[in-house]
Amino acid sequence: MVNEDRIKLMTRMAAYEKEEHKVNKKIVSFFRSDYISMQMLKSVVSTTIVFAIMFGLYVLYDFEVFMKEIYQMDMFEFAKSVIIIYVIFLGVILLITYVVSLYRYNRALQSTKLYYANLKKLSRIYGEQE
């Protein structure tokens, strides 16, 4: 006799295994703090590269004006303002990275817990039928 609950459960679990299980397994294999730290480190590197590219494009956009004014401007104030903008930009990106990484980790953890609970439930259903 076919057990309808068992089939539904197995279908749900098969869909989870096909779509999300590999990704969630990679995420949950880390401690939460390690996963978030790794994501934030990636963000620092990529944000620094993006900021350098954006700054280079800004300078190249008005290169003639920049070259005319370079001897008249205070280089320490200019460097200070660039560093302040970089730190603010980096802070915003890191805050966003922290929130998104925390959300992804918690979601992966809950999905994995639900998957293992469904495995126990399926095992119990098979045990009852024997």
Side-chain angles (χ1 to χ4, degrees):
M1 181 169 146
V2 177
N3 188 340
E4 191 174 320
D5 292 333
R6 184 181 70 187
I7 293 173
K8 286 180 184 179
L9 187 61
M10 289 175 68
T11 305
R12 233 181 309 149
M13 290 173 58
Y16 172 78
E17 285 177 358
K18 185 177 180 182
E19 297 173 11
E20 300 177 37
H21 186 62
K22 289 181 182 179
V23 174
N24 288 345
K25 193 173 181 181
K26 286 180 185 178
I27 292 173
V28 177
S29 68
F30 294 102
F31 289 112
R32 184 178 69 191
S33 59
D34 292 341
Y35 175 74
I36 292 173
S37 298
M38 184 177 58
Q39 297 305 314
M40 290 180 78
L41 183 62
K42 288 179 187 178
S43 288
V44 167
V45 171
S46 60
T47 300
T48 302
I49 292 169
V50 166
F51 186 81
I53 291 170
M54 288 173 45
F55 179 72
L57 289 174
Y58 171 74
V59 169
L60 287 176
Y61 179 72
D62 281 336
F63 191 68
E64 185 177 341
V65 175
F66 183 74
M67 289 305 291
K68 286 180 183 177
E69 294 177 358
I70 197 165
Y71 296 110
Q72 299 168 357
M73 72 171 71
D74 183 16
M75 292 304 280
F76 289 113
E77 280 298 316
F78 179 71
K80 184 179 172 183
S81 65
V82 169
I83 290 172
I84 289 172
I85 292 170
Y86 169 71
V87 168
I88 291 171
F89 183 66
L90 184 63
V92 169
I93 296 298
L94 286 179
L95 179 66
I96 293 169
T97 300
Y98 178 79
V99 170
V100 169
S101 298
L102 184 63
Y103 173 75
R104 283 183 183 169
Y105 186 85
N106 288 335
R107 189 185 68 196
L109 188 63
Q110 291 299 325
S111 295
T112 304
K113 283 182 180 179
L114 181 64
Y115 175 73
Y116 286 118
N118 285 339
L119 275 177
K120 287 181 183 179
K121 191 176 187 181
L122 187 61
S123 176
R124 193 172 49 243
I125 290 173
Y126 273 114
E128 290 173 359
Q129 287 182 350
E130 289 180 358

